[in-house]
């Protein structure tokens, strides 16, 4: 049982280390409205 806890702690530490080295990572969840990071496709390209 203690091996599972140690394995989880090591995995969590590794995941936090990788995420911290990844740069600008937003852990805020889904974005809706004006603060969305992706721009919608132009209407001309969608009508083809």
């Amino acid at each position: 049982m203690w091996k599972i806890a140690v394995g989880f702690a090591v995995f969590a530490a590794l995941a936090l280390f990788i995420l911290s080295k990844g740069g600008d990572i937003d852990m805020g969840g889904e974005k809706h409205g004006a603060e969305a990071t992706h721009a919608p496709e132009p209407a001309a390209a969608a009508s083809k």
Side-chain angles (χ1 to χ4, degrees):
M1 183 68 184
W2 65 271
K3 293 177 187 177
I4 295 173
V6 171
F8 176 78
V10 170
F11 181 77
L14 181 65
L16 288 174
F17 175 76
I18 291 172
L19 286 174
S20 69
K21 294 295 179 186
D24 186 23
I25 298 174
D26 183 16
M27 298 291 285
E30 293 186 31
K31 301 289 185 225
H32 301 282
E35 60 271 352
T37 57
H38 64 278
E41 293 185 18
S47 64
K48 288 183 181 180

